[in-house]
């Protein structure tokens, strides 16, 4: 995720919540795990990775939902961008 300075400069934010859903098909998805990434700290210069580990179970369909944080002033969702995603 972007550093605090990058967030201030670009307005691009890490997600507030990431949900991972899985199942046999789109109609049978169940929530597998929820990730709440740490917010960037001022002057932090690192890109962070959001990871989750969970008990493996066979799935044919995955759905990953990244929910943006809300702007404190306007209460509107902020912008998040996904550049890469790796599943192992």
């Amino acid at each position: 995720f972007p550093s605090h300075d990058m967030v201030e400069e670009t307005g691009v934010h890490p997600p507030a919540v990431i949900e991972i859903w899985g199942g046999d098909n789109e109609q049978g998805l169940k929530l597998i795990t929820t990730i709440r990434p740490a917010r960037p700290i001022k002057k932090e210069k690192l890109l962070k990775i959001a990871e989750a580990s969970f008990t493996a179970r066979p799935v044919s369909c995955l759905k990953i939902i990244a929910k943006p944080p809300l702007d404190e002033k306007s209460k509107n969702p902020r912008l998040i961008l996904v550049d890469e995603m790796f599943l192992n």
Side-chain angles (χ1 to χ4, degrees), residues 1-2 15 18 47-51 64 66 80-87:
F1 298 117
I18 301 169
L47 293 179
K48 296 202 176 184
I49 296 172
E51 300 186 281
I64 299 172
I80 60 171
L81 301 174
V82 177
D83 183 38
E84 295 180 12
M85 186 179 305
F86 296 97
L87 299 173

Side-chain angles (χ1 to χ4, degrees), residues 28-67:
L29 297 177
K30 292 187 167 79
L31 183 62
I32 296 173
T33 192
T34 301
I35 307 165
R36 296 187 189 285
R39 308 302 301 150
I41 299 170
K42 194 162 185 75
K43 301 296 180 195
E44 187 176 41
K45 297 288 185 192
L46 304 172
L47 293 179
K48 296 202 176 184
I49 296 172
E51 300 186 281
S53 56
F54 44 86
T55 305
R57 64 178 188 216
V59 296
S60 299
C61 183
L62 277 176
K63 181 176 185 177
I64 299 172
I65 300 172
K67 297 181 179 181

Side-chain angles (χ1 to χ4, degrees), residues 65-83:
I65 300 172
K67 297 181 179 181
L70 294 179
D71 184 297
E72 293 82 25
K73 295 176 186 170
S74 69
K75 301 299 181 201
N76 292 324
R78 293 187 179 238
L79 178 64
I80 60 171
L81 301 174
V82 177
D83 183 38

Side-chain angles (χ1 to χ4, degrees), residues 14-33:
V17 177
I18 301 169
E19 297 175 348
I20 301 175
W21 296 75
D24 293 332
N25 54 51
E26 286 186 53
Q27 292 73 34
L29 297 177
K30 292 187 167 79
L31 183 62
I32 296 173
T33 192

